[in-house]
């Protein structure tokens, strides 16, 4: 079993759309289903504190996004469409349908929250609740970008550069890159679990994972931004109740203040608050994160 998650989560190998999606399922079989989506440069293991708490009341599904962890890492394509959030959202929809869930809640952190946002837009009949951890919409971040954002999110623009610049640079020291990204976002709370960090490094050492994660960011400034602009032009908003949580000491909290105000432009019903941490809420302040999610997800 992948460390450090407890044995109550059982691994299921699924490839309903032709791309293997590493999936774990566990918890209360009579509870409503909740899909947890991880961020960069991590895997489903980032939920190791929070998932067992949510599993007391819910069936919890943990996945690795395509390109990450032990999921498949297909070529990105000429315009990086294989890593568009629309494509990654479709992966997750297929997984949930394969497991027999037509309606479910989604909780996403970082890149996973961007996939979750797209799921809620594309499949409003399926996503019953949406929780986004420490992000504002991709479109909002990019369309309001300035010097402050460029300095804080420099890796966005670095990773989006054409192949092979970022791949070559990261591959020189992938462990250092992963540990550096984690350290730069942490602002208090408890330290990362060493076994979890080792797992992130294990997965990220693979050249295909480095390339796929760069494709993720290339898609963000191309296909994802185009899709988000089109949704905004149509007046499309998230219809499911949305919870925004963010770290008060991280960039998102410092930059945007009350993040719920940003999300109200993109969703009909928004609640949320800051937590006393940086970017990695589920690992820095897991008790507070789990409690906020439990309250939001309660039937």
């Amino acid at each position: 079993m992948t460390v450090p998650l407890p044995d109550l989560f059982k691994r299921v190998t699924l490839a309903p759309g032709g791309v293997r999606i590493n999936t774990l399922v566990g918890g209360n079989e009579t509870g409503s289903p909740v899909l947890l989506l991880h961020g960069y440069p991590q895997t489903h293991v980032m939920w190791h504190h929070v998932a067992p708490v949510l599993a007391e009341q819910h069936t919890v599904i943990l996945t690795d996004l395509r390109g990450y962890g032990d999921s498949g890492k297909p070529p990105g394509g000429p315009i990086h469409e294989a890593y568009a959030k629309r494509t990654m959202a479709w992966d997750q929809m297929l997984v949930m349908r394969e497991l027999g869930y037509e309606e479910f809640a989604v909780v996403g952190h970082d890149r996973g929250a961007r996939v979750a946002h797209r799921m809620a837009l594309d499949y409003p009949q399926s996503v019953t609740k949406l929780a986004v951890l420490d992000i504002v919409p991709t479109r909002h971040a990019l369309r309001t970008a300035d010097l402050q954002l460029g300095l804080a999110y420099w890796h966005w623009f670095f990773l989006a550069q054409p192949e092979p610049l970022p791949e070559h640079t990261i591959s020189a020291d992938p462990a250092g890159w992963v540990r550096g990204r984690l350290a730069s976002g942490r602002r208090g709370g408890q330290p990362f679990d060493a076994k979890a960090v080792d797992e992130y490094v294990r997965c990220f050492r693979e050249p295909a994972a480095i390339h796929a994660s760069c494709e993720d960011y290339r898609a963000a400034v191309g296909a994802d931004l185009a899709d988000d602009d089109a949704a905004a032009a149509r007046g499309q908003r998230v219809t499911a109740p949305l919870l925004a949580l963010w770290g008060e000491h991280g960039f998102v909290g410092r930059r945007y203040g009350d993040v719920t105000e940003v999300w109200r432009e993109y969703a009909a019903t928004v609640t949320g608050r800051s937590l006393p941490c940086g970017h990695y809420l589920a690992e820095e302040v897991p008790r507070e994160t789990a409690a906020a999610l439990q309250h939001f997800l309660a039937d």
Side-chain angles (χ1 to χ4, degrees), residues 109-120:
H109 172 252
D110 189 82
R111 309 309 290 175
R114 302 186 191 285
V115 175
H117 182 201
R118 176 47 58 185
M119 290 180 76

PDB file of all heavy atoms in Angstrom, residues 109-120:
ATOM      1  N   HIS A 109      -6.983  20.454  -4.761  1.00  0.00           N
ATOM      2  CA  HIS A 109      -5.952  21.387  -4.322  1.00  0.00           C
ATOM      3  C   HIS A 109      -5.062  21.720  -5.513  1.00  0.00           C
ATOM      4  O   HIS A 109      -4.704  20.837  -6.289  1.00  0.00           O
ATOM      5  CB  HIS A 109      -5.101  20.766  -3.211  1.00  0.00           C
ATOM      6  CG  HIS A 109      -3.903  21.593  -2.831  1.00  0.00           C
ATOM      7  ND1 HIS A 109      -2.612  21.241  -3.142  1.00  0.00           N
ATOM      8  CD2 HIS A 109      -3.824  22.783  -2.172  1.00  0.00           C
ATOM      9  CE1 HIS A 109      -1.786  22.166  -2.685  1.00  0.00           C
ATOM     10  NE2 HIS A 109      -2.497  23.111  -2.096  1.00  0.00           N
ATOM     11  N   ASP A 110      -4.721  23.006  -5.678  1.00  0.00           N
ATOM     12  CA  ASP A 110      -3.739  23.403  -6.682  1.00  0.00           C
ATOM     13  C   ASP A 110      -4.184  22.929  -8.072  1.00  0.00           C
ATOM     14  O   ASP A 110      -5.298  23.243  -8.494  1.00  0.00           O
ATOM     15  CB  ASP A 110      -2.368  22.860  -6.258  1.00  0.00           C
ATOM     16  CG  ASP A 110      -1.203  23.370  -7.072  1.00  0.00           C
ATOM     17  OD1 ASP A 110      -0.737  24.482  -6.792  1.00  0.00           O
ATOM     18  OD2 ASP A 110      -0.773  22.654  -7.990  1.00  0.00           O
ATOM     19  N   ARG A 111      -3.366  22.167  -8.796  1.00  0.00           N
ATOM     20  CA  ARG A 111      -3.754  21.725 -10.141  1.00  0.00           C
ATOM     21  C   ARG A 111      -5.033  20.897 -10.097  1.00  0.00           C
ATOM     22  O   ARG A 111      -5.879  20.987 -10.994  1.00  0.00           O
ATOM     23  CB  ARG A 111      -2.643  20.896 -10.799  1.00  0.00           C
ATOM     24  CG  ARG A 111      -1.264  21.501 -10.796  1.00  0.00           C
ATOM     25  CD  ARG A 111      -1.210  22.912 -11.313  1.00  0.00           C
ATOM     26  NE  ARG A 111      -1.456  23.010 -12.751  1.00  0.00           N
ATOM     27  CZ  ARG A 111      -1.553  24.169 -13.405  1.00  0.00           C
ATOM     28  NH1 ARG A 111      -1.460  25.322 -12.742  1.00  0.00           N
ATOM     29  NH2 ARG A 111      -1.762  24.186 -14.716  1.00  0.00           N
ATOM     30  N   GLY A 112      -5.175  20.091  -9.056  1.00  0.00           N
ATOM     31  CA  GLY A 112      -6.384  19.296  -8.913  1.00  0.00           C
ATOM     32  C   GLY A 112      -7.623  20.159  -8.768  1.00  0.00           C
ATOM     33  O   GLY A 112      -8.714  19.791  -9.221  1.00  0.00           O
ATOM     34  N   ALA A 113      -7.488  21.324  -8.145  1.00  0.00           N
ATOM     35  CA  ALA A 113      -8.616  22.237  -8.013  1.00  0.00           C
ATOM     36  C   ALA A 113      -8.988  22.826  -9.372  1.00  0.00           C
ATOM     37  O   ALA A 113     -10.161  23.113  -9.635  1.00  0.00           O
ATOM     38  CB  ALA A 113      -8.285  23.347  -7.021  1.00  0.00           C
ATOM     39  N   ARG A 114      -8.006  22.997 -10.243  1.00  0.00           N
ATOM     40  CA  ARG A 114      -8.298  23.507 -11.584  1.00  0.00           C
ATOM     41  C   ARG A 114      -9.027  22.450 -12.424  1.00  0.00           C
ATOM     42  O   ARG A 114      -9.937  22.774 -13.190  1.00  0.00           O
ATOM     43  CB  ARG A 114      -7.003  23.987 -12.247  1.00  0.00           C
ATOM     44  CG  ARG A 114      -6.321  25.067 -11.427  1.00  0.00           C
ATOM     45  CD  ARG A 114      -5.104  25.708 -12.042  1.00  0.00           C
ATOM     46  NE  ARG A 114      -4.450  26.516 -11.024  1.00  0.00           N
ATOM     47  CZ  ARG A 114      -4.892  27.710 -10.588  1.00  0.00           C
ATOM     48  NH1 ARG A 114      -5.983  28.229 -11.109  1.00  0.00           N
ATOM     49  NH2 ARG A 114      -4.235  28.365  -9.645  1.00  0.00           N
ATOM     50  N   VAL A 115      -8.631  21.198 -12.239  1.00  0.00           N
ATOM     51  CA  VAL A 115      -9.363  20.108 -12.881  1.00  0.00           C
ATOM     52  C   VAL A 115     -10.785  20.044 -12.316  1.00  0.00           C
ATOM     53  O   VAL A 115     -11.762  19.887 -13.062  1.00  0.00           O
ATOM     54  CB  VAL A 115      -8.640  18.767 -12.677  1.00  0.00           C
ATOM     55  CG1 VAL A 115      -9.469  17.612 -13.233  1.00  0.00           C
ATOM     56  CG2 VAL A 115      -7.264  18.796 -13.340  1.00  0.00           C
ATOM     57  N   ALA A 116     -10.912  20.172 -11.003  1.00  0.00           N
ATOM     58  CA  ALA A 116     -12.224  20.125 -10.362  1.00  0.00           C
ATOM     59  C   ALA A 116     -13.123  21.259 -10.841  1.00  0.00           C
ATOM     60  O   ALA A 116     -14.330  21.072 -11.056  1.00  0.00           O
ATOM     61  CB  ALA A 116     -12.057  20.183  -8.847  1.00  0.00           C
ATOM     62  N   HIS A 117     -12.557  22.449 -11.010  1.00  0.00           N
ATOM     63  CA  HIS A 117     -13.317  23.594 -11.521  1.00  0.00           C
ATOM     64  C   HIS A 117     -13.871  23.279 -12.906  1.00  0.00           C
ATOM     65  O   HIS A 117     -15.058  23.512 -13.192  1.00  0.00           O
ATOM     66  CB  HIS A 117     -12.407  24.830 -11.573  1.00  0.00           C
ATOM     67  CG  HIS A 117     -13.093  26.071 -12.041  1.00  0.00           C
ATOM     68  ND1 HIS A 117     -12.387  27.143 -12.556  1.00  0.00           N
ATOM     69  CD2 HIS A 117     -14.396  26.425 -12.096  1.00  0.00           C
ATOM     70  CE1 HIS A 117     -13.231  28.098 -12.898  1.00  0.00           C
ATOM     71  NE2 HIS A 117     -14.458  27.692 -12.626  1.00  0.00           N
ATOM     72  N   ARG A 118     -13.044  22.705 -13.763  1.00  0.00           N
ATOM     73  CA  ARG A 118     -13.501  22.344 -15.104  1.00  0.00           C
ATOM     74  C   ARG A 118     -14.559  21.241 -15.049  1.00  0.00           C
ATOM     75  O   ARG A 118     -15.532  21.254 -15.807  1.00  0.00           O
ATOM     76  CB  ARG A 118     -12.290  21.920 -15.951  1.00  0.00           C
ATOM     77  CG  ARG A 118     -12.608  21.430 -17.360  1.00  0.00           C
ATOM     78  CD  ARG A 118     -13.553  22.293 -18.135  1.00  0.00           C
ATOM     79  NE  ARG A 118     -13.133  23.679 -18.306  1.00  0.00           N
ATOM     80  CZ  ARG A 118     -13.896  24.610 -18.885  1.00  0.00           C
ATOM     81  NH1 ARG A 118     -15.110  24.312 -19.327  1.00  0.00           N
ATOM     82  NH2 ARG A 118     -13.457  25.857 -18.988  1.00  0.00           N
ATOM     83  N   MET A 119     -14.409  20.274 -14.129  1.00  0.00           N
ATOM     84  CA  MET A 119     -15.429  19.228 -13.973  1.00  0.00           C
ATOM     85  C   MET A 119     -16.783  19.848 -13.639  1.00  0.00           C
ATOM     86  O   MET A 119     -17.821  19.446 -14.186  1.00  0.00           O
ATOM     87  CB  MET A 119     -15.030  18.250 -12.870  1.00  0.00           C
ATOM     88  CG  MET A 119     -13.862  17.357 -13.194  1.00  0.00           C
ATOM     89  SD  MET A 119     -13.464  16.222 -11.830  1.00  0.00           S
ATOM     90  CE  MET A 119     -14.798  15.019 -12.024  1.00  0.00           C
ATOM     91  N   ALA A 120     -16.775  20.812 -12.718  1.00  0.00           N
ATOM     92  CA  ALA A 120     -18.035  21.422 -12.304  1.00  0.00           C
ATOM     93  C   ALA A 120     -18.687  22.201 -13.438  1.00  0.00           C
ATOM     94  O   ALA A 120     -19.925  22.284 -13.513  1.00  0.00           O
ATOM     95  CB  ALA A 120     -17.801  22.336 -11.105  1.00  0.00           C
TER      96      ALA A 120
END
